[in-house]
Each structure stands twice: as C-alpha cells, then as structure tokens.
Amino acid sequence: MQYQSQAVAKLYFTAAIGLFAGQILFGLILGLQYVVGDFLFPEIPFNVARMVHTNLLIVWILFGFMGAAYYLVPEEAERELHSPGLAVLMFWVFLVAGALTILGYLLVPYSGLAKMTGNDLLPTMGREFLEQPTITKIGIVIVALAFLYNIGMTILSGRKTVVNLVLLIGLAGLAVLFLFAFYNPDNLVEDKLYWWWVVHLWVEGVWELILGSILAFVLIKTTGVDREVIEKWLYVIIAMTLITGIIGTGHHYYWIGTPEYWQWWGSVFSALEPIPFFMMTVFAFNMVNRRRRNHLNKVAVLWALGTAVMAFLGAGVWGFLHTLSPVNYYTHGSQITAAHGHMAFYGAYAMIVLTIISYAMPMMRGRKAANSNRSQVLEMWSFWLMTVSMVFITLFLTGAGILQVYLQRYSDTPLPFMVVQEKIALFYWMREVAGVVFLAGLVLYIASFFVGSKDPEAAVEQAASPTA
Amino acid sequence: MNTDSRNRGRSCTLIYIVLMLLTLVTWVVGRLGLQGLPVTLSVLALALLKGQLIGDWFMGLRNVRGFWRWAILIWLAGVGVLVGVAFFFSSGLH
Amino acid sequence: MTRGGSLPETSRYPPGDLAVWIFILAELAVFAIFFAAYAFTRMQHVALFDQYQATLDRNAALFNTLALVTASYFVVRAVTAIREGRTASARNRLWAAVGMGGLFLLVKGMEYAHHLGEGIRLSTNAFYMFYLSLTFFHFMHVILGILVLMVLAMRTAAGHYSAQSHTDIESGASYWHMVDLVWLILFPLVYVMH
C-alpha cells in the first residue's frame, strides 16, 4: 500500500463480504421456497426473500466498486485521497441506510414501508431492483455524489491514467443513470423503457467500464506488462462495450409495446455484446502470458483470469442464448433469464470485486504483497468451489428453463405456469444443492482471511518453482 | 527505401483511380435502371472487388502473412455469400 | 530489405496496433450482420424494398462514395508521407481527408433532412427502417473516423510522429479504411441492387 488513505477501502471491502454472505443466505432461503413454497412463511415471504437477495447483491457490489475506487485511484493518481474522512463518513451513511432498508423489507409489509417512507410524495417504489424507499434512493444519490466528488478531486489533481479515467467515467455514468430511478411515468411502456436505462445500462454499459478498469489495474500490478499495452486494450474493449451495450438495450424492448425496429436493433447489437467480453478474456490471458514477473499473490491472478472467463460465459454466452428476438419470444422471463443472471452477475461483477479484494486486502492487512501460502491455497479452494457450483447452478437453471419454455410456451398443448413449476422441481432441488456447495465455498473464502494469517508471507522461491 | 515507398504511392494512386471508375460503373448501372439477377450479382461482385482492393492496397494487407492477410477477404466472402444468396432466392419474387 | 523477387518483405501483423485491428474485425462483424439482415428481410418484401429504394438520391450516394474513397486515398498518402518523415505533408493530407469526410457528412445530412422532412421515420416501413439504421450507424462511424483523423493531424503537426514512430497514424488509417470499405458495400446494397 503506497498511500495511507487507500486504507479506507478496507471498510468497504469488509462490508461487501458481509453483505455477500447475507445475499447467499437469502439465496438459499429463496431457492428452497421454489420447492417448499411455505418455507419461513409468513415471516419471510417469497417476494421479500427475492427482493433482499437481489438488493443485497447490488449493494455489496456497489460497496465493492467504491472500495476498489478508493484503493486504486490514489495509487494511479499518485497522491492521497482528497478526503479520507468523507470516504469514512459516507461508508457509515451508506451502510446504515442499506441496513435500515433491508430491515424495512423484512419487518414491515412492503406497502406499509411505502406509506412510512412517504412514497406518495415522490413515488419511486415497487419496481424490480429499484424497490428501495424513495428516501433510501435519495441517500444513495448523496453518497454517490460525495463519492464522485472525492474520487474526482483526487483524479483531477493527480496523475491522469487511462485506468482512472475509464473508472471515473464508469462511476459517473453509474450515478447519472441511477437518476432514472426517480422517473416514474404513468404510462407502463415508458415506465419500463426508462427502468431499463438504470438496470440494463448499468450492467451492460457503465459497470463494464468499471469492471474493465479494475481488471486492467490488477493486471498491470500483477503481470508487470507495460501500461501502454494494457491501456490500448482497455480503450478497444470499452469502445466495443459501449457500441454494443447501449443500443443492445433494445433486447429489452421486444415485447413491452415499443416500436418494431427494436427487434432488429436489439437483436443485432446485443448479439455482439459477447465480443467485448471475449476480448477481455483474450486480453487477460495474453497479459498473464506476457508477464514480466510471477507475482506472489497468485490467487489474485487466479481471480482475475476467472473473472475474464466467467464474465464471457455468463454475460456473453448465456446472454447470447436468449438475446435474439425470435428466441426471446419464447424465453423471456423464464428460468433461462435466471440462469443468465446468476452466472453473469457472479462471473462479471462478484468476481471482479473478489479479484480486487484478493489483490488489495493482504497489503491493507499489513502484508508486503501477498498472504501466506496456506491462506492462498484456502482461497483458491473457495474460488473453485464457488465458481464450479455457480456453473452448476447455471446449468440446472438452464435445464429448468428449457423444460419450462417447452412445456409452458412451445409445445402444442401448453401447460399452466404452476403445473410446469411442479414438473421442473427436480432442477430446483439440484440448484439448491449446488447453492449449498456455493455457501461452503463462501465459508472457506471468509476463513481464508483468518487461516494462516500468522504464517510468513508467500515467498519468492516457493512462488517461482511451480510455474513455467 | 524512398523509391520503394514512391512505387507504393504510385500503385495506390492507380488503385484509387480504379476505385473511382468502378464506383461510376455501379452508379451508371443504377442510372440506366438495369435489372435482373446477373446485373445485381455483378454489382455485388464489383463491390466485393473494391473491398478487396481497399484491404490489399490501402490497408496494406498485401504485405502481411497468415490470418491477417486474409481477414478482409474472409469478411467480404461472408458478406458476399449471405447477400448473394438472399438476392438469388428473392429474384423473381416480384 | 530484400527485393530479390517482386514481393516486398511481409510481416505477421497488419500496419497499426493489433488491438485496433481486433476492434475493426468486431465492427465489420456488426456491419456484416446488418447487411445480411437487410438482404434476408428484403426477401420477404421485395416489391416494397424496390419501390422505396427508388426514392433514394443515388447521385448524392455517388458523390459520397467518391468523397470517402478520396478521403481514403489522402489517408494512404499521409501514411506514405510519415513513413518518409515528411511531417508537413502528412499533416496536410490528413486534413484533406478530414475535409472529404466533412463533405460526406454534409451531403448525407442533406439526404436525412430531405427524408425526415417527408415524415419518414424508423417505423415507416421495413425498407426505411434498414436504410436509416444502416446508413446512420455508418454515419456515426464517419464522425468517429473524422475525429480520429483530426487528432492525428493535430498530433502530427505538433511533432508527435516520425518516420520511425507512427503506429497511431497507421492504426487510425486502418480504421478509416474500414469505414470506407463498409460504405463501398453499403452503397450498392442499399442504393443500387434490386
């Protein structure tokens, strides 16, 4: 760690991991409710569990992004953070607001929460992923503005690198697009149209810039490849992401009442969305192969490569599966979507946050470069357990989805929704088992922060011998 | 070195004139209102030829080995086959 | 440099940055899909496509094709110049290419004004949907290409490039040729072939 103020990232990363654990617990509850419908009813109904599962995901990823920014921006800008105090203050504001919101979901019926928080003054609640009470949304905007100010001032008065600028553009885009969460037109078509400007343009637009810049940063640090080379790749990947991702929003405009040309725009451009992810995979492996040194933190490199591969599979391949409008006609809103959502969020965004945590955390906890061998081996186990079980979750959901689409929508004698749900229950059970394995991986991950923390740091001779 | 690049410059000037002339041919075909599958496919073939001239001479792939030597040609062939097939099967569908 | 036969030395990679070339291939893939989509949709609506194709201004398209090819030629000459270290000449030729690109935008803009003035929109019919989508997507690429060439021209004038070091110019040139290449297919496909 070269700058004192980078240490604020530790708070953000710790919170991110905690919320991640919460997300997985609610995921398991939710997964069980698919097959045991009244599990934990009426304490935690299905819709609440789902809301908590998805909202926690978004919040912990945001904590991760902010932590990543606080860590890498000072190092790139070669100066201390503009205001570490503001960063700490905003951490607590965000954490308390997030915790209160989740408690609100769990303790108060949703309509009651809406009434309590004055939703009728400025109605913004009730839309998937944007369920937060209006007051929480305002809090998010304040936190985001303070965060951007802090990061922006640091970048503007320091060394300007491509990594920093791409990250700043991504974070600014994230904040600006969130403003559409406040726009809630009466017309349902328009409502959905702009809702996607938050949801789609986040995950298939600006978040990819954040992902790209964090990945580039970790690769620069761990491989020692020339910054110029990595920056060029970053430019090209970002350009392709924006070209395909922005117009690719059209793949959500097939069936909501928007004009017909979206069938074409959406299909053509989103069919190409895998390209930037593919480039990212080529990029990551290329840089690691051209490495000038074997970094001692091998598990961070593993996470970086894993991110590149899993993002391509989850976001690229599984997205492509159902993105063409003639296919999507049958598959939209089915378990195929859930399969894509799981692998894409894990592969792209959960893993990039875990990558930067894996790279940065050892140094913030007093190591020179890396954790002890024992700790790294444990973390690698957690990598494989979580990643492989996520692959299985995705495959089981894909199986469920294909069967669902066939029985419910494609066959000559379509069956009702709930009848089909009974028939695909086996897939849901298998998914739940894979989910338990994922939880085991997460437990090992958390354990890796404590196991071997007294051991000596992984050393050069041990690190250099096994690799070619 | 200098004569070499001057030669290349002269070749590119020639290619440029050919590209301009071929463009005029395409325009004249449109102007005369010529119709029919052979005309359509010829216009397509001319376009692909122009594309290959751009790739070889302007983009400089003429002096490249391996995959990149053929990258533009492969793309043109793909476009040519797809568009050609579509126009072939839609001829006479008036 | 061996010049025993007629073949000059070959290299494994095209001129310019490899990352830019991968980008070019990705862009070409987008256009290829769009071209194929146009041709196959036309199969369903041959009469409609032929009828509305006749409303396009083929003379404007001819002018624009000549403008783009000429711009590409200037770009080629700019690369030749910088390879010989003739900076001023490279800069002038890049600006000339920018000028040609500007003419393209002007003429295409007038075509759009004409069609929009007649109330034609993306939803008017399948032909106009493709005509507007394809040409506008290409239009955006011309704008990007012009911006790239302008930056290159200014950096050339500022002395950033030399006979030994000019990869950026080669990258930008390759990108511009791609924009030209796409239009050379687009012009016959949308304006002439029926």
Side-chain angles (χ1 to χ4, degrees):
Chain A
M1 206 169 61
Q2 297 169 12
Y3 298 90
Q4 282 302 314
S5 53
Q6 287 177 288
V8 293
K10 198 171 159 185
L11 279 176
Y12 283 83
F13 288 157
T14 311
I17 295 170
L19 295 169
F20 180 26
Q23 187 214 346
I24 300 312
L25 286 178
F26 275 89
L28 285 171
I29 292 172
L30 188 56
L32 197 56
Q33 286 175 340
Y34 267 86
V35 275
V36 184
D38 55 0
F39 178 65
L40 288 185
F41 187 84
E43 284 76 19
I44 306 177
F46 177 85
N47 65 319
V48 171
R50 187 176 189 283
M51 195 159 66
V52 174
H53 180 63
T54 56
N55 277 235
L56 277 176
L57 165 71
I58 297 165
V59 173
W60 87 258
I61 300 276
L62 289 179
F63 268 110
F65 284 170
M66 290 188 193
Y70 285 131
Y71 184 84
L72 72 82
V73 162
E75 203 161 316
E76 287 285 295
E78 294 185 333
R79 53 153 292 173
E80 295 287 352
L81 208 54
H82 179 69
S83 166
L86 183 64
V88 173
L89 176 69
M90 283 305 129
F91 168 78
W92 289 109
V93 171
F94 195 29
L95 187 68
V96 170
L100 285 178
T101 303
I102 298 293
L103 285 178
Y105 290 162
L106 290 172
L107 301 178
V108 187
Y110 192 68
S111 58
L113 186 64
K115 211 164 278 162
M116 266 172 63
T117 55
N119 187 55
D120 32 342
L121 295 176
L122 174 60
T124 67
M125 289 174 74
R127 292 176 297 168
E128 194 182 2
F129 307 126
L130 303 179
E131 293 97 343
Q132 309 82 30
T134 304
I135 184 154
T136 307
K137 290 198 181 86
I138 294 172
I140 292 174
V141 171
I142 292 170
V143 169
L145 283 180
F147 165 73
L148 278 177
Y149 164 78
N150 211 347
I151 293 292
M153 290 302 282
T154 312
I155 290 176
L156 288 181
S157 62
R159 181 177 69 143
K160 284 154 199 78
T161 66
V162 177
V163 169
N164 258 356
L165 291 179
V166 170
L167 181 69
L168 186 62
I169 295 169
L171 293 168
L174 186 155
V176 168
L177 289 168
F178 184 70
L179 295 178
F180 285 96
F182 293 92
Y183 184 53
N184 198 4
D186 289 335
N187 181 318
L188 255 186
V189 177
E190 283 181 24
D191 177 29
K192 274 286 180 192
L193 188 106
Y194 291 109
W195 178 77
W196 285 114
W197 285 27
V198 186
V199 176
H200 172 93
L201 290 179
W202 265 19
V203 296
E204 290 170 59
V206 290
W207 283 28
E208 283 184 50
L209 307 200
I210 299 169
L211 161 62
S213 60
I214 298 176
L215 188 63
F217 173 79
V218 173
L219 288 173
I220 289 173
K221 294 291 166 183
T222 54
T223 65
V225 172
D226 277 349
R227 179 179 282 279
E228 289 73 37
V229 177
I230 289 184
E231 286 174 345
K232 237 165 236 160
W233 276 93
L234 188 57
Y235 270 132
V236 171
I237 289 170
I238 293 320
M240 208 61 217
T241 298
L242 292 177
I243 289 177
T244 58
I246 293 177
I247 308 177
T249 317
H251 63 202
H252 301 293
Y253 293 168
Y254 295 155
W255 327 115
I256 64 169
T258 33
E260 198 187 336
Y261 53 81
W262 284 114
Q263 309 274 337
W264 283 106
W265 283 83
S267 297
V268 169
F269 284 89
S270 66
L272 294 150
E273 280 187 64
I275 292 177
F277 282 108
F278 181 70
M279 288 197 225
M280 223 179 273
T281 314
V282 176
F283 160 62
F285 278 86
N286 223 320
M287 294 308 111
V288 171
N289 284 336
R290 290 164 65 173
R291 68 187 179 275
R292 296 250 183 85
R293 59 164 175 261
N294 285 324
H295 199 273
L296 298 177
N297 194 341
K298 294 162 112 191
V299 66
V301 178
L302 179 66
W303 279 112
L305 292 177
T307 304
V309 172
M310 295 301 289
F312 171 63
L313 284 178
V317 177
W318 254 262
F320 180 77
L321 274 184
H322 57 148
T323 202
L324 298 175
S325 96
V327 176
N328 192 267
Y329 179 72
Y330 292 103
T331 60
H332 69 279
S334 69
Q335 290 301 321
I336 306 239
T337 315
H340 164 55
H342 277 83
M343 208 202 276
F345 264 111
Y346 175 72
Y349 300 122
M351 285 182 85
I352 193 63
V353 170
L354 298 179
T355 302
I356 184 76
I357 291 178
S358 182
Y359 171 75
M361 218 37 164
M363 285 175 275
M364 287 192 291
R365 298 174 80 220
R367 298 286 195 181
K368 265 211 195 66
N371 279 330
S372 65
N373 270 335
R374 211 144 59 96
S375 161
Q376 287 200 42
V377 167
L378 195 62
E379 195 180 335
M380 285 182 190
W381 270 96
S382 78
F383 168 93
W384 288 110
L385 273 180
M386 287 197 279
T387 304
V388 170
S389 60
M390 184 52 83
V391 169
F392 277 100
I393 288 175
T394 305
L395 290 175
F396 293 144
L397 287 177
T398 307
I402 292 171
L403 201 57
Q404 179 193 13
V405 166
Y406 181 77
L407 294 174
Q408 193 182 311
R409 294 177 177 168
Y410 194 81
S411 88
D412 291 333
T413 50
L415 299 172
F417 177 82
M418 283 315 291
V419 175
V420 173
Q421 292 299 306
E422 298 269 317
K423 290 191 184 292
I424 57 181
L426 179 63
F427 284 104
Y428 289 145
W429 276 114
M430 294 194 289
R431 181 267 299 269
E432 185 70 358
V433 172
V436 172
V437 178
F438 190 98
L439 178 68
L442 179 61
V443 170
L444 290 192
Y445 178 74
I446 294 170
S448 78
F449 286 90
F450 304 101
V451 172
S453 58
K454 300 241 160 48
D455 294 9
E457 192 156 335
V460 189
E461 51 276 10
Q462 282 158 311
S465 53
T467 46
Chain B
M1 191 75 186
N2 257 356
T3 50
D4 212 47
S5 65
R6 213 157 284 153
N7 281 338
R8 197 175 327 147
R10 209 166 295 145
S11 314
C12 284
T13 306
L14 188 67
I15 296 297
Y16 167 61
I17 294 168
V18 171
L19 285 171
M20 298 292 269
L21 290 176
L22 292 181
T23 302
L24 279 172
V25 170
T26 304
W27 176 78
V28 168
V29 168
R31 175 86 194 184
L32 296 178
L34 294 183
Q35 293 215 5
L37 189 61
V39 176
T40 306
L41 292 184
S42 308
V43 168
L44 178 63
L46 269 191
L48 301 177
L49 173 67
K50 281 154 73 184
Q52 185 57 16
L53 289 177
I54 293 266
D56 274 2
W57 293 86
F58 283 14
M59 290 172 141
L61 298 186
R62 210 166 42 94
N63 302 322
V64 177
R65 278 176 277 127
F67 165 75
W68 290 100
R69 171 71 186 92
W70 309 111
I72 296 293
L73 185 64
I74 293 167
W75 180 77
L76 287 167
V79 170
V81 168
L82 288 169
V83 171
V85 163
F87 274 80
F88 180 79
F89 283 109
S90 56
S91 77
L93 284 182
H94 284 270
Chain C
M1 176 166 275
T2 54
R3 268 185 60 86
S6 56
L7 282 175
E9 253 181 31
T10 60
S11 86
R12 249 169 70 71
Y13 296 106
D17 205 281
L18 190 63
V20 171
W21 272 92
I22 292 176
F23 185 60
I24 287 175
L25 280 197
E27 293 259 66
L28 285 175
V30 184
F31 279 106
I33 292 179
F34 245 135
F35 291 157
Y38 173 91
F40 282 96
T41 308
R42 183 182 169 276
M43 279 175 77
Q44 328 286 321
H45 315 276
V46 175
L48 179 132
F49 270 57
D50 288 355
Q51 180 191 344
Y52 289 99
Q53 185 181 60
T55 67
L56 301 186
D57 187 349
R58 220 175 271 137
N59 296 338
L62 169 72
F63 179 86
N64 268 345
T65 312
L66 299 180
L68 279 193
V69 173
T70 306
S72 251
Y73 176 67
F74 281 132
V75 168
V76 170
R77 304 293 291 167
V79 172
T80 319
I82 198 67
R83 279 181 184 156
E84 293 172 358
R86 291 183 288 121
T87 312
S89 167
R91 179 205 58 205
N92 292 343
R93 288 164 179 180
L94 285 171
W95 280 118
V98 169
M100 283 292 151
L103 277 182
F104 177 95
L105 294 183
L106 189 71
V107 172
K108 198 85 203 94
M110 282 168 12
E111 277 186 80
Y112 285 140
H114 169 73
H115 290 303
L116 293 179
E118 291 194 324
I120 289 161
R121 299 287 181 271
L122 280 170
S123 302
T124 303
N125 63 40
F127 175 78
Y128 282 125
M129 196 283 282
F130 274 107
Y131 164 71
L132 291 173
S133 303
L134 263 170
T135 58
F136 189 71
F137 188 51
H138 178 265
F139 190 80
M140 298 297 287
H141 282 76
V142 177
I143 293 177
L144 180 60
I146 287 177
L147 290 177
V148 168
L149 293 181
M150 284 169 74
V151 170
L152 291 174
M154 286 189 279
R155 286 173 61 97
T156 307
H160 275 94
Y161 306 115
S162 65
Q164 287 75 38
S165 151
H166 50 258
T167 312
D168 289 356
I169 297 193
E170 289 179 338
S171 303
S174 300
Y175 186 78
W176 179 266
H177 294 318
M178 184 276 287
V179 174
D180 188 16
L181 169 65
V182 165
W183 179 262
L184 285 182
I185 309 289
L186 210 160
F187 163 55
L189 181 66
V190 176
Y191 285 85
V192 180
M193 287 168 65
H194 60 267

